[in-house]
Amino acid sequence: MSYKPLTLISATPSAYARMNHIALSLKKIPFKIYNEIPWHSTTITPKHNPLEQLPILLFPDSRPPVYQTAHIQNYIVEKYAHQDPSLLPGGLDNNLLAKQIVALSVGSMDALVLYGWESRRKQEEQNEKWKNRQLRKVNGAIQAFNAYVEGAGGKPHVLGDDITIADIGIMCALEGFKFTGVLADWEKKYPALAEYYEGLNKLQVFQETKPVMFDMNSDEVV
C-alpha cells in the first residue's frame, strides 16, 4: 500500500524529531522533512501545536496534526501497525515498557534542553542548583538506560530480538548527550551501554539522521 507523503516539522539538531524520523524511515512510510526554528518570527509551529514545540506530524488529508515526540511514536506504531517492522516487542507489558522507555528518553532530553538554556545565560545569572538538578535527571536516565542494556544480557536490542521504539529513544537521547557534550564521560562509565550504542549506531538509519546544529541567533526571535 502506498501513501501520500506525510510532513514532519523538525529542526536539524532535534533529538526529538529524530526519533520520529527514524520510526517513519524504518517503517518505510513516505514523508518529507520541513526544517525550521520554532522561536523565530517565520515559524509555522504555533499554527499546528498550541505548545509551540517540535516535532509535529502533518497529513495530506483532513486529519489534525499530531504533536509531541512520544505521542507521535505511539501514533506511528499503532496507526501503521500493519506495516513492518512493528517497532514494538509484543505483549501488552513489553509494549508498555517500550513506551515508558520512550518517555524516559524524552524526559532526559527535556532536562538536557533546560540545562542548555540555563547555561546560555550570563554566568552571574545562572542558577547552579537548577543546572545540577537537570544533570541529575540526565544521569538518572543514563543509569536506567544502562540497566535496560545489561538486563538484555548482551543482545543488540533492549526488548526482544528486533529494534523497537525503546532502542530508538535510547539511541537518540545518547546521541543528544554526545552532540551537546554534556556528561560526555558516560561511555567510559558505562561500557555495556557504550557497546550497545556503537552496535546500533552502525545502522544506516542512525548514520543518516545525525543532528546538525543551526544558527540559534539568526532571524528575529519571537
Side-chain angles (χ1 to χ4, degrees), residues 10 15 32 42 57-58 68 70 87 94 96-97 99 104 110 114 118 128 137 141 145 152 192:
S10 177
K32 55 188 177 180
T42 57
L57 193 61
L58 302 180
Q68 302 302 100
L87 300 182
N94 283 335
L96 289 173
L97 178 56
K99 294 176 181 182
L104 175 62
D110 288 344
L114 291 173
E118 186 68 18
E128 293 301 319
K137 295 177 187 178
F145 295 154

Side-chain angles (χ1 to χ4, degrees), residues 7-24 31-36 38 44-46 48-59 65-74 76 102 106 109-110 113 172:
T7 299
L8 183 65
I9 303 181
S10 177
T12 58
S14 174
Y16 297 94
R18 186 182 185 220
M19 292 172 58
N20 305 139
H21 185 164
I22 290 170
L24 289 166
F31 73 101
K32 55 188 177 180
I33 294 286
Y34 178 87
N35 280 311
E36 69 157 34
I44 66 171
T45 297
H48 303 293
N49 181 354
L51 297 177
E52 301 190 16
Q53 295 175 323
L54 301 177
I56 303 168
L57 193 61
L58 302 180
F59 303 93
V66 177
Y67 45 82
Q68 302 302 100
T69 304
H71 182 60
I72 295 175
Q73 289 298 76
N74 289 342
I76 291 169
V102 171
V106 171
M109 295 189 295
D110 288 344
V113 169
C172 288

Side-chain angles (χ1 to χ4, degrees), residues 4 8 29 33 35 37 51 53-54 71 83 89 100 131 133 139 161 170 178 180 185 196 199 205 207 219:
K4 292 182 179 179
L8 183 65
I29 299 168
I33 294 286
N35 280 311
I37 303 176
L51 297 177
Q53 295 175 323
L54 301 177
H71 182 60
Q83 193 153 328
Q100 178 174 293
K131 288 170 62 179
R133 184 182 181 195
N139 263 313
D161 297 326
I170 293 172
K178 290 172 70 70
T180 60
D185 63 342
Y196 163 85
V205 72
Q207 289 295 316
D219 197 6

Side-chain angles (χ1 to χ4, degrees), residues 19 101-102 105 144-145 148-149 158 165-175 177 193 196-197:
M19 292 172 58
I101 294 173
V102 171
S105 303
F145 295 154
Y148 287 124
V149 168
V158 292
I165 55 173
D167 298 301
I168 296 171
I170 293 172
M171 288 293 291
C172 288
L174 293 177
E175 188 69 41
F177 307 152
L193 185 60
Y196 163 85
Y197 168 85

Side-chain angles (χ1 to χ4, degrees), residues 18 21 25 28-29 37 39 45 53 59 77 82 89 93 95 111 118-119 121-124 140 157-158 199 212 219 222:
R18 186 182 185 220
H21 185 164
S25 295
K28 295 182 173 57
I29 299 168
I37 303 176
W39 54 83
T45 297
Q53 295 175 323
F59 303 93
V77 297
H82 60 281
D93 288 341
N95 289 351
E118 186 68 18
S119 298
R121 292 158 59 98
K122 293 179 181 179
Q123 183 65 45
E124 63 273 15
H157 306 106
V158 292
V212 178
D219 197 6
V222 294

